[in-house]
């Protein structure tokens, strides 16, 4: 009711994670499949959709205060669903990308001691930190995790050889390869595929159910698959808008 009264659905997003959410050529307009999804959800609910941009790591604390919901490639994890409701809408894996030809012989299965770039606060950031700890526990050299606030900085620093590889969503890695004129390539394929979700305040059952119903409607009528197809990864679309945490 509170969202309906103001007439605008404010969506928190880090618009530097192409093709999910990023800036158009004017460097202002938010575009991408998550952005298109936000607009479609607003249409179903009879609302305008407004993307409010911030660095990824700062988005979750603002859900329920600065933002009504978050739609920004949030992998569904137990840590996140302990504090927020999440509505599944896409299944995305992780990939490593390196300079074309893999000149340094990077092996995704042997990352101890390697310098790897990643966007701050992402699931891949958490994964690299955990794997680095495993390296040191095993008596090997820690992963040199280079953390950046934006994916564009992550990509730039691999192309510029400051990092040997980056770790990101598989959709993001594939798009980076295409948009850098094949200066990069994915190695090791897609790993650790997990659902991503729309983030809603856990104490707002009405908004959670409204977002779930709207998302399910877009899945059922083919709109969601069509949005993804326009950006490339149509096969990543889920068909059931499950709510997490699940009882």
């Amino acid at each position: 009711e509170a969202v309906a009264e103001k007439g605008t659905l404010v969506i928190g997003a880090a618009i530097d994670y192409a093709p999910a959410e990023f800036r158009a050529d004017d460097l202002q307009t938010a575009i991408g499949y998550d952005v298109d999804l936000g607009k479609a959800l607003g249409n179903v609910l009879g609302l305008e959709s407004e993307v409010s941009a911030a660095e990824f790591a700062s988005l979750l604390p603002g859900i329920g205060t600065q933002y009504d919901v978050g739609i920004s490639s949030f992998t569904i994890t137990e840590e996140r669903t302990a504090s927020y409701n999440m509505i599944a809408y896409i299944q995305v894996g992780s990939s490593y990308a390196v300079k074309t030809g893999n000149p340094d012989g990077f092996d995704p299965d042997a990352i101890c001691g390697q310098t790897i770039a990643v966007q701050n606060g992402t699931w891949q950031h958490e994964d690299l930190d955990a794997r680095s700890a495993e390296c040191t526990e095993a008596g090997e050299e820690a992963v040199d995790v280079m953390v950046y606030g934006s994916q564009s900085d992550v990509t730039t620093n691999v192309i510029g050889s400051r990092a040997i590889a980056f770790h990101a969503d598989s959709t993001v890695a594939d798009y980076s390869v295409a948009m850098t004129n094949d200066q990069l390539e994915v190695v090791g394929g897609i790993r650790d595929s997990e659902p991503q979700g729309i983030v809603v305040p856990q104490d707002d059952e009405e908004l959670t159910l409204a977002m779930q119903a709207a998302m399910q409607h877009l899945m059922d009528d083919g709109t969601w698959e069509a949005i993804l197809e326009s950006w490339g990864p149509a096969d990543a679309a889920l068909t059931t808008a499950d709510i997490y945490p699940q009882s």
Side-chain angles (χ1 to χ4, degrees):
E1 184 177 345
V3 176
E5 186 175 334
K6 68 179 180 178
T8 302
L9 181 71
V10 180
I11 302 169
I15 52 174
D16 190 57
Y17 210 55
E21 50 271 331
F22 62 112
R23 299 178 192 273
D25 291 341
D26 64 7
L27 303 181
Q28 297 295 324
T29 306
I31 59 174
Y33 62 74
D34 275 351
V35 178
D36 288 348
L37 173 60
K39 293 176 182 177
L41 289 166
N43 288 338
V44 172
L45 295 169
L47 302 169
E48 295 293 326
S49 296
E50 174 188 314
V51 174
S52 182
E55 284 198 6
F56 185 82
S58 70
L59 291 174
L60 286 177
I63 303 296
T65 52
Q66 293 174 266
Y67 324 111
D68 297 315
V69 299
I71 307 178
S72 193
S73 302
F74 286 103
T75 299
I76 296 174
T77 65
E78 288 186 6
E79 181 181 6
R80 287 171 178 163
T81 56
S83 301
Y84 306 92
N85 289 337
M86 300 186 74
I87 301 158
Y89 66 102
I90 189 171
Q91 183 94 6
V92 176
S94 299
S95 294
Y96 290 95
V98 300
K99 292 179 72 171
T100 300
N102 197 6
D104 296 302
F106 175 74
D107 181 356
D109 296 315
I111 66 173
C112 298
Q114 301 295 329
T115 301
I116 303 174
V118 70
Q119 185 174 352
N120 188 30
T122 59
W123 183 89
Q124 290 82 13
H125 182 189
E126 297 174 15
D127 183 53
L128 285 178
D129 283 348
R131 291 177 186 272
S132 182
E134 291 174 0
C135 290
T136 56
E137 289 170 7
E140 298 185 62
E141 190 176 351
V143 180
D144 181 12
V145 182
M146 299 183 69
V147 182
Y148 297 95
S150 69
Q151 179 60 34
S152 57
D153 285 341
V154 169
T155 302
T156 297
N157 279 282
V158 174
I159 293 173
S161 300
R162 291 196 64 190
I164 192 173
F166 76 64
H167 196 28
D169 284 352
S170 54
T171 51
V172 171
D174 290 343
Y175 197 80
S176 295
V177 169
M179 297 306 291
T180 57
N181 296 316
D182 295 326
Q183 294 183 75
L184 300 171
E185 68 176 71
V186 171
V187 292
I190 298 175
R191 317 160 77 86
D192 304 319
S193 180
E194 298 288 347
Q196 294 180 344
I198 301 163
V199 184
V200 187
Q202 205 160 66
D203 61 357
D204 197 335
E205 182 180 2
E206 288 186 349
L207 183 57
T208 299
L209 293 176
M211 295 302 296
Q212 180 198 33
M215 187 68 243
Q216 190 63 58
H217 176 80
L218 295 175
M219 291 172 170
D220 292 344
D221 74 359
T223 298
W224 175 223
E225 186 176 2
I227 288 172
L228 276 180
E229 187 173 7
S230 71
W231 292 100
D235 58 352
L238 292 177
T239 57
T240 303
D242 291 323
I243 296 177
Y244 294 78
Q246 295 180 314
S247 56

